[in-house]
């Protein structure tokens, strides 16, 4: 049996609320921020650069803390999950596979994800580990977290450069999902094409892993 480890943003959770909350906090049109997110993604830049373009010199850590203090901080709710998440994760566990969630998210996001009582064995985030993708140390930590050899771990993600390429470099198997702006825009990049599996829905994994 395998261990499946899932990225968070645009793999199991939609980013709609995340960006809408930032637009609301900065008092800018949501469409403007969405367009800029798309633009920086197309340029291969950090998606947070969209916020920096709108507010040059912004201290994102300070703004994040201010949002939390104002009661307008992070939220992850059932409606933020992609529709196939619970059924796909349940199917994998029913087939005897171990299921983990590990992505570039804050400590708070980890708490919110755990509160959803997802059908997974464990959840961890880069905020808890102190290291983020695509750093190879993230995947070293993930291997220890999984308690399995790299070749028995499948990392599932939408971002070829952050998810697929570094996971493969660490010896993991990979599944690239065409989902969200990164998953679609970079679907034909060599890193995405090199994934062990290329999928459009998470429900495909249960069949592919047989």
């Amino acid at each position: 049996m395998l261990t499946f480890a899932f990225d968070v943003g645009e793999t199991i959770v939609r980013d709609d609320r995340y960006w809408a909350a930032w637009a609301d906090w900065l008092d800018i049109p949501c469409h403007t921020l969405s367009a800029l997110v798309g633009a920086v993604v197309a340029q291969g830049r950090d998606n947070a650069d969209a916020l920096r373009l709108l507010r040059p010199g912004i201290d994102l850590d300070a703004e994040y803390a201010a949002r939390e203090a104002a009661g307008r901080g992070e939220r992850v709710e059932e409606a933020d999950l992609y529709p196939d998440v619970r059924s796909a994760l349940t199917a994998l566990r029913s087939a005897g596979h171990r299921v983990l969630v590990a992505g570039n998210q804050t400590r708070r996001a980890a708490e919110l994800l755990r509160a959803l009582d997802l059908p997974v064995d464990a959840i961890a985030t880069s905020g808890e580990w102190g290291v983020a993708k695509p750093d190879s140390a993230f995947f070293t930590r993930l291997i220890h977290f999984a308690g399995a050899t790299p070749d028995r771990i499948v990392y599932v993600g939408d971002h070829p450069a952050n998810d697929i390429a570094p996971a493969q470099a660490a010896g993991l198997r990979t599944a690239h999902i065409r989902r969200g702006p990164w998953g679609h825009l970079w679907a034909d990049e060599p890193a995405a094409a090199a994934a062990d599996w290329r999928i459009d829905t998470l429900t495909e994994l249960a069949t592919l892993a047989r």
Side-chain angles (χ1 to χ4, degrees):
M1 294 302 171
L2 301 170
T3 294
F4 284 84
F6 290 83
D7 169 49
V8 179
E10 293 303 341
T11 297
I12 65 170
V13 172
R14 294 163 53 113
D15 281 346
D16 304 51
R17 185 195 299 276
Y18 177 85
W19 292 113
W22 272 112
D24 183 56
W25 177 255
L26 296 175
D27 193 26
I28 55 177
C30 192
H31 173 71
T32 299
L33 179 54
S34 294
L36 284 174
V37 169
V40 298
V41 168
Q43 294 170 4
R45 295 164 59 180
D46 181 354
N47 56 10
D49 283 348
L51 298 172
R52 299 183 181 102
L53 287 170
L54 288 163
R55 296 288 186 273
I58 189 173
D59 184 333
L60 292 177
D61 290 336
E63 292 293 336
Y64 178 89
R67 283 179 54 195
E68 290 289 340
R72 296 168 62 183
E74 278 192 273
R75 291 168 59 195
V76 181
E77 300 177 357
E78 188 70 25
D80 298 314
L81 297 175
Y82 275 98
D84 58 359
V85 170
R86 287 193 179 275
S87 60
L89 302 187
T90 297
L92 288 172
R93 292 186 83 193
S94 296
H97 302 295
R98 192 155 185 256
V99 179
L100 308 174
V101 172
N104 281 356
Q105 303 289 326
T106 63
R107 287 178 176 269
R108 176 59 176 155
E111 296 171 359
L112 295 167
L113 287 166
R114 292 184 185 114
L116 291 177
D117 193 25
L118 294 168
V120 300
D121 295 287
I123 294 171
T125 64
S126 58
E128 294 177 316
W129 287 350
V131 63
K133 298 177 294 182
D135 193 318
S136 62
F138 177 95
F139 292 94
T140 298
R141 187 67 182 266
L142 174 59
I143 292 167
H144 290 299
F145 184 57
T149 58
D151 64 310
R152 303 305 296 167
I153 303 169
V154 180
Y155 195 74
V156 185
D158 65 299
H159 198 306
N162 280 1
D163 299 329
I164 306 305
Q168 289 191 315
L172 280 63
R173 299 166 74 180
T174 56
H176 177 256
I177 185 165
R178 286 176 56 101
R179 177 172 281 177
W182 297 269
H184 287 286
L185 185 62
W186 300 109
D188 295 325
E189 288 295 301
D196 294 280
W197 297 310
R198 304 183 74 186
I199 59 175
D200 293 307
T201 68
L202 296 179
T203 54
E204 296 172 58
L205 291 171
T207 300
L208 292 170
R210 289 176 182 170

